[in-house]
Amino acid sequence: MRYQGVVLASEMGDAMTIDSFSWKRCPGGDPQGTFYDMKIYMGLCSSDELGSTFDDNYISGTRIEVMSASPYTSQTVGINEWFEFVFDTPFWYNGQDNLLIELEWSDGAGSLYTWHWNAGTNRSIYGLYGESTSLVQQSTAPNLRLNGTLSLTNSTFARIKAAF
């Protein structure tokens, strides 16, 4: 399976170092799964809507592998609880472009059922592992929590300079 979703810069705010992300589990499927050749990539995207070719959605040179495990066993969480993907390598988000998140795995047992919301445009795509055709574009985006350290911008208030 291969899945990709875009988070708009307007939803992100400031630059940050992302150490992990979490999805909120919805009803359905197993509460835990084991996945082989699991990889997570992050990068930047210039479009608010994903095209039908995974690699073309990235701004050239920004795709970075942030996690790799085989097998990967997902956390066991209850319905409406968050399950987290902790990165091997943190990702620096620049605070300006759209953020692209991609997961892929070759085989496994279980599922990753998450709450989604209707974003109105093609905000995610998925397809079978190793295939670049027969992809499904969706106007949904998962409930997502990014975990990391914000890099707050410096601001000037009248004569007082504040660096947060």
Side-chain angles (χ1 to χ4, degrees):
M1 174 66 82
R2 192 170 179 189
Y3 170 87
Q4 193 176 72
V6 64
V7 182
L8 304 184
S10 60
E11 298 166 341
M12 291 289 299
D14 283 334
M16 70 181 293
T17 300
I18 303 170
D19 299 313
S20 66
F21 73 86
S22 301
W23 281 339
K24 191 178 244 188
R25 181 174 173 242
C26 72
D30 298 324
Q32 185 179 55
T34 300
F35 306 94
Y36 296 94
D37 304 312
M38 170 72 97
K39 294 183 188 297
I40 298 178
Y41 300 92
M42 295 190 91
L44 303 175
C45 179
S46 60
S47 177
D48 291 356
E49 187 170 347
L50 295 179
S52 60
T53 304
F54 284 102
D55 293 342
D56 292 348
N57 290 321
Y58 287 96
I59 294 174
S60 183
T62 65
R63 183 179 190 240
I64 295 172
E65 182 181 297
V66 295
M67 192 200 89
S68 176
S70 189
Y72 172 79
T73 302
S74 62
Q75 294 173 314
T76 301
V77 298
I79 295 170
N80 293 325
E81 292 181 350
W82 296 93
F83 59 94
E84 183 177 21
F85 296 93
V86 178
F87 300 163
D88 303 323
T89 304
F91 181 80
W92 170 249
Y93 170 69
N94 67 12
Q96 298 173 7
D97 296 295
N98 295 331
L99 176 67
L100 203 55
I101 301 171
E102 181 178 338
L103 289 84
E104 69 176 16
W105 62 89
S106 64
D107 196 10
S111 53
L112 299 171
Y113 284 93
T114 66
W115 287 109
H116 286 74
W117 57 280
N118 187 347
T121 60
N122 290 331
R123 295 279 293 271
S124 61
I125 60 173
Y126 70 91
L128 295 177
Y129 179 81
E131 286 193 25
S132 58
T133 59
S134 301
L135 302 178
V136 178
Q137 293 175 295
Q138 295 182 314
S139 62
T140 60
N143 286 11
L144 173 71
R145 183 176 68 195
L146 298 170
N147 309 303
T149 306
L150 284 175
S151 178
L152 301 176
T153 56
N154 293 335
S155 300
T156 301
F157 303 97
R159 293 184 151 183
I160 301 170
K161 178 82 172 169
F164 296 99

